[in-house]
Amino acid sequence: MKRIYLYVCAMICTLGMMTSCGELDANDIAGTYTGELEIAEGASFTKDVTIKALTDNQAEISLAGIDLGVLGRIDIKATCTVVSIEGAADLAGTTTINFGGFSYNAIPVTGEVEGNTLELSIQIPNYEIEFEGVRKN
């Protein structure tokens, strides 16, 4: 009887390790998100942000045509690490941006995807860009 009990316990433990815990990876959050983009200067636009899975834990975030007034328009493309935390996916990475005659390196790009909602923050010197949107595909 002890032997059967031991086998049953081992089988339950093995099955418990093999089941999914609701963890998200880059493939789960890939898609296009439409929402409101706000720039610290007070401007607000409706924009699309695209997340493309590169690997299970790496994603590329793309945001095109951000208007910074006299400094011109910029496009942002950043490679971010994807970490699953309690049913959500945290994003963290950096990018390089050229505008206004200057090149800015190691610009932090951070965000979170929870359900179908993406929140994204990009910290350019003198400009804080915030995005919140929902997945459209």
Side-chain angles (χ1 to χ4, degrees):
M1 186 69 172
K2 284 184 179 181
R3 187 177 227 170
I4 292 173
Y5 178 70
L6 185 61
Y7 285 125
V8 170
C9 286
M11 187 169 59
I12 290 172
C13 289
T14 302
L15 288 174
M17 288 188 290
M18 295 173 70
T19 59
S20 172
C21 297
E23 291 190 10
L24 299 175
D25 64 23
N27 296 303
D28 297 322
I29 64 170
T32 301
Y33 296 79
T34 299
E36 199 68 21
L37 179 82
E38 294 182 13
I39 300 175
E41 299 297 311
S44 180
F45 310 94
T46 299
K47 285 286 183 188
D48 287 346
V49 172
T50 303
I51 298 178
K52 176 182 165 189
L54 300 176
T55 65
D56 284 346
N57 65 348
Q58 294 281 313
E60 180 181 81
I61 297 175
S62 300
L63 178 57
I66 301 172
D67 188 358
L68 296 177
V70 295
L71 296 176
R73 297 171 73 85
I74 62 168
D75 297 333
I76 295 174
K77 192 174 280 192
T79 300
C80 294
T81 300
V82 178
V83 177
S84 181
I85 299 175
E86 298 179 10
D90 283 349
L91 306 166
T94 60
T95 189
T96 298
I97 297 174
N98 299 304
F99 74 94
F102 297 98
S103 179
Y104 297 94
N105 297 316
I107 300 296
V109 177
T110 58
E112 178 182 61
V113 176
E114 188 169 356
N116 285 328
T117 303
L118 167 65
E119 293 180 4
L120 191 63
S121 177
I122 304 163
Q123 305 292 320
I124 302 171
N126 302 320
Y127 292 92
E128 182 176 344
I129 298 173
E130 300 286 336
F131 174 86
E132 184 171 342
V134 293
R135 189 179 196 161
K136 67 178 190 179
N137 60 354

